[in-house]
Amino acid sequence: MIVVMKSSCSDDNVKHVLTFLDKNGLSGHLSHGVERTVIGVLGAVGPSGAPGGLGGINPSLGESLEGMPGVEHVLRVSKPYKLASREFHPADTIVEVPAACVSSGVVEIGSNQVVMMAGPCTVETEMQLMTTAEAVRKEGAVILRGGAFKPSTSPYGFRGLGEDGLKLLAKARDEFGMAIITEVMTPTDVSMVCEYADILQIGTRNMQNYMLLDEVGRTNKPVVLKRGMSATFEEWLLAAEYVLSQGNRNVILCERGIRTFEKLTRNTMDISAIPLIKTLSHLPIISDPSQGTGRRDLVTPMSLASLAAGTDALLIEVHPNPDEALKDGAQSLTIDQFRDLMPRAQAIASAVGRQFITE
Ligand code: PEP
Ligand code: MN
């Protein structure tokens, strides 16, 4: 249920509604739009500690709310996801990530800024990570990617350096000032990964790992939630709802291609997901054309297309010597290719009225 307040409502009117909700065991979530304040209403607290959704809301409460001073009308949310929906929270969510390399000290994801996140698929060695970090920073990346815990389709594939990899990422942050995004795969690793990471990545294979979603939802770290490789938009947004409903509102969605019948590309990059998600949800959406295509030659065109479609950030794999990469070499840009991409990406961003934050 959503309580839409009149544009002329007072702070006391809002407070009155919130108190009424509280007395009835409901939680009210305020959202201040440009023209209107809306209050999203969720049901009683469920057994996991998260709000219980709409199930238990007595319809007569809607009528009482409708009669209160300052209330314009009360709406039912038609979607199964609530906190993630645009209806519930009309204004765009902006996720702030601290990064020493920019003068403001904070990078915004979901605002008018666009953000370049780049780095190797996987942290392999100190030399590989530092070389890549230095190069991508020089071109304007402000967030460094790199997996320390790697989901590997084959159990014989490289599974990452674990905590040693996280330590190398932290070292790169100290040296170059970029924020760090890295994947966390299990609930038990969440607190340890939080000690090193600025953004937690939930991989495509874990989009529906509900215990993991609950656990990252109990932190206050920004979370990048990759789209499950065969997930519908509704399933994806319900996965986001798990994180949001635990109290962590810093969720960023990531389009990374979906599984189709096609074999020439590793995945089918769904650029339409970017504008579509923006109609369904207030959450930022970013684009990963590296996993999205699996092919280095397609990463630049799909990056530009993503920017034209309104992505809030790009997440790109770069390797100093992709032919020797332990993982995802075929889809990793060389440093030279990344250097060529940046000015073109900046030109597309400004054509759609946005600007990369680089310093
Ligand atoms: C990655 O970013 O390297 C990765 C494994 O991503 P995904 O979960 O989208 O496959
Ligand atoms: Mn990868």
Side-chain angles (χ1 to χ4, degrees):
M1 198 157 62
I2 296 173
V3 183
V4 181
M5 302 301 290
K6 290 184 177 151
S7 51
S8 59
C9 78
S10 66
D11 289 353
D12 275 352
N13 295 157
V14 172
K15 226 195 252 153
H16 185 63
V17 171
L18 292 174
T19 311
F20 174 83
L21 293 173
D22 193 49
K23 277 198 187 129
N24 284 282
L26 306 171
S27 60
H29 301 261
L30 264 186
S31 169
H32 298 287
V34 184
E35 292 179 2
R36 288 266 190 287
T37 294
V38 303
I39 303 173
V41 183
L42 287 182
V45 172
S48 66
L54 288 183
I57 298 184
N58 176 346
S60 74
L61 291 179
E63 287 166 26
S64 307
L65 285 162
E66 222 139 33
M68 287 184 183
V71 172
E72 185 159 289
H73 55 260
V74 175
L75 295 172
R76 290 228 141 234
V77 181
S78 53
K79 309 274 190 333
Y81 47 88
K82 310 294 173 193
L83 296 169
S85 76
R86 183 64 89 175
E87 287 165 282
F88 205 88
H89 189 291
D92 287 341
T93 283
I94 298 173
V95 174
E96 296 191 337
V97 184
C101 63
V102 295
S103 54
S104 62
V106 177
V107 168
E108 291 177 354
I109 301 168
S111 73
N112 206 39
Q113 295 178 355
V114 243
V115 176
M116 180 58 85
M117 309 179 177
C121 170
T122 306
V123 181
E124 297 170 3
T125 63
E126 180 165 349
M127 175 80 141
Q128 169 246 18
L129 183 66
M130 295 297 168
T131 308
T132 315
E134 183 174 16
V136 298
R137 175 66 203 119
K138 194 162 159 242
E139 302 311 320
V142 289
I143 298 182
L144 177 66
R145 63 150 292 145
F149 293 94
K150 292 305 297 181
S152 180
T153 302
S154 160
Y156 309 118
F158 184 53
R159 293 163 76 170
L161 296 178
E163 193 169 1
D164 288 343
L166 297 176
K167 288 185 176 148
L168 291 176
L169 287 164
K171 193 165 178 191
R173 173 178 47 211
D174 288 348
E175 197 148 333
F176 303 107
M178 282 183 281
I180 300 297
I181 174 170
T182 195
E183 179 159 354
V184 59
M185 288 177 58
T186 67
T188 46
D189 286 344
V190 168
S191 63
M192 187 254 287
V193 176
C194 279
E195 285 172 33
Y196 301 94
D198 301 292
I199 304 177
L200 303 173
Q201 176 175 320
I202 303 293
T204 190
R205 296 160 185 80
N206 270 323
M207 189 205 81
Q208 287 178 311
N209 181 339
Y210 298 121
M211 306 299 261
L212 180 60
L213 298 176
D214 274 346
E215 197 59 34
V216 299
R218 288 192 272 265
T219 75
N220 58 6
K221 290 275 176 187
V223 174
V224 161
L225 180 63
K226 298 275 197 112
R227 181 180 184 179
M229 58 183 94
S230 341
T232 63
F233 287 102
E234 191 168 295
E235 287 163 342
W236 189 12
L237 289 167
L238 280 167
E241 191 82 6
Y242 267 82
V243 181
L244 296 166
S245 65
Q246 289 295 340
N248 187 346
R249 300 300 159 88
N250 297 312
V251 178
I252 301 159
L253 301 164
C254 178
E255 164 60 32
R256 49 78 69 209
I258 49 173
R259 175 69 61 93
T260 70
F261 50 81
E262 185 49 67
K263 293 202 174 89
L264 285 183
T265 47
R266 182 178 178 189
N267 291 294
T268 295
M269 181 87 190
D270 180 10
I271 302 272
S272 71
I274 299 165
L276 180 50
I277 279 289
K278 288 204 177 279
T279 68
L280 300 173
S281 178
H282 52 91
L283 297 172
I285 173 145
I286 71 170
S287 166
D288 174 352
S290 306
Q291 328 303 318
T293 62
R295 291 173 50 151
R296 194 181 308 151
D297 60 332
L298 300 181
V299 169
T300 295
M302 288 298 103
S303 298
L304 302 179
S306 298
L307 287 162
T311 192
D312 293 310
L314 289 169
L315 180 63
I316 294 191
E317 292 182 344
V318 180
H319 196 286
N321 189 354
D323 292 342
E324 284 174 17
L326 294 180
K327 259 190 136 50
D328 290 354
Q331 66 193 37
S332 298
L333 294 186
T334 63
I335 288 169
D336 284 348
Q337 286 174 319
F338 184 74
R339 189 176 301 123
D340 289 342
L341 163 64
M342 268 316 266
R344 299 174 69 192
Q346 275 161 327
I348 299 289
S350 68
V352 294
R354 301 183 73 178
Q355 211 179 359
F356 272 92
I357 176 161
T358 57
E359 51 190 26

XYZ file of all heavy atoms in Angstrom, residues 121 145 150-151 183 201 203-205 226 256 288 291 317 328, ligand 1:
137
model
N 39.058 -9.664 -14.482
C 38.005 -10.572 -14.023
C 38.380 -11.072 -12.640
O 37.594 -10.997 -11.706
C 37.891 -11.747 -15.006
S 36.839 -13.062 -14.373
N 37.514 -3.337 -10.244
C 36.896 -4.647 -10.069
C 37.994 -5.706 -9.987
O 39.118 -5.506 -10.437
C 35.910 -4.995 -11.192
C 36.485 -5.118 -12.586
C 35.681 -6.128 -13.442
N 35.862 -7.483 -12.950
C 34.930 -8.421 -12.960
N 33.731 -8.169 -13.460
N 35.189 -9.634 -12.497
N 35.920 -16.784 -6.944
C 35.352 -16.894 -8.281
C 34.407 -18.076 -8.382
O 34.775 -19.209 -8.081
C 36.464 -17.103 -9.318
C 37.377 -15.927 -9.516
C 36.666 -14.632 -9.868
C 35.910 -14.661 -11.171
N 35.266 -13.338 -11.445
N 33.188 -17.820 -8.864
C 32.301 -18.934 -9.169
C 32.810 -19.547 -10.464
O 32.983 -18.850 -11.452
C 30.950 -18.242 -9.383
C 31.288 -16.849 -9.799
C 32.649 -16.519 -9.261
N 33.373 -9.949 -5.597
C 32.247 -10.872 -5.374
C 32.331 -11.566 -4.018
O 33.414 -11.926 -3.554
C 32.221 -11.927 -6.496
C 31.085 -12.935 -6.313
C 30.684 -13.682 -7.582
O 31.200 -13.368 -8.671
O 29.829 -14.587 -7.455
N 29.666 -7.721 -4.707
C 29.040 -8.209 -5.945
C 28.395 -9.568 -5.674
O 29.020 -10.453 -5.115
C 30.113 -8.333 -7.036
C 29.606 -8.919 -8.343
C 30.684 -8.917 -9.436
O 31.451 -7.957 -9.563
N 30.772 -9.983 -10.204
N 27.013 -12.588 -7.733
C 27.139 -13.080 -9.099
C 25.833 -13.654 -9.634
O 24.902 -13.951 -8.872
N 25.809 -13.802 -10.947
C 24.605 -14.294 -11.614
C 24.125 -15.632 -11.043
O 22.938 -15.870 -10.900
C 24.864 -14.401 -13.139
O 23.665 -14.651 -13.807
C 25.890 -15.473 -13.498
N 25.089 -16.492 -10.710
C 24.739 -17.830 -10.223
C 24.163 -17.795 -8.811
O 23.611 -18.777 -8.340
C 25.973 -18.741 -10.271
C 26.468 -18.977 -11.686
C 27.908 -19.449 -11.702
N 28.419 -19.554 -13.066
C 28.860 -18.526 -13.789
N 28.866 -17.303 -13.289
N 29.295 -18.708 -15.019
N 23.875 -8.974 -9.782
C 23.868 -9.383 -11.188
C 22.538 -10.058 -11.516
O 21.966 -10.777 -10.676
C 25.016 -10.370 -11.443
C 26.408 -9.806 -11.214
C 26.901 -9.088 -12.449
C 28.391 -8.883 -12.418
N 29.091 -9.657 -13.425
N 24.018 -8.380 -17.228
C 25.253 -9.058 -17.637
C 24.985 -10.145 -18.676
O 25.766 -11.062 -18.861
C 26.001 -9.615 -16.416
C 25.161 -10.401 -15.459
C 24.842 -11.810 -15.879
N 26.011 -12.660 -15.856
C 26.183 -13.715 -16.641
N 25.239 -14.094 -17.497
N 27.291 -14.448 -16.571
N 27.383 -4.778 -17.652
C 28.619 -5.557 -17.727
C 28.703 -6.221 -19.096
O 28.244 -7.346 -19.288
C 28.617 -6.614 -16.605
C 29.803 -7.578 -16.686
O 30.545 -7.548 -17.679
O 29.967 -8.380 -15.748
N 30.892 -9.963 -19.334
C 30.149 -11.231 -19.224
C 29.006 -11.233 -20.250
O 28.577 -12.279 -20.715
C 29.532 -11.486 -17.839
C 30.249 -10.950 -16.616
C 31.663 -11.402 -16.450
O 31.968 -12.566 -16.658
N 32.540 -10.492 -16.080
N 35.958 -5.794 -17.877
C 37.161 -6.577 -17.593
C 38.320 -6.134 -18.477
O 38.176 -6.040 -19.695
C 36.861 -8.068 -17.783
C 35.882 -8.540 -16.708
C 35.534 -10.016 -16.739
O 35.785 -10.689 -17.757
O 34.993 -10.496 -15.720
N 38.468 -15.725 -18.204
C 37.773 -14.721 -19.024
C 38.687 -13.841 -19.883
O 38.348 -12.687 -20.169
C 36.871 -13.835 -18.135
C 35.662 -14.620 -17.609
O 35.480 -15.789 -18.032
O 34.908 -14.072 -16.784
C 32.448 -11.694 -13.061
O 32.076 -10.521 -12.907
O 33.623 -12.025 -13.319
C 31.419 -12.769 -12.967
C 31.751 -14.013 -12.659
O 30.184 -12.316 -13.222
P 28.788 -13.106 -13.415
O 28.364 -13.511 -12.052
O 27.908 -12.068 -14.048
O 29.054 -14.284 -14.344
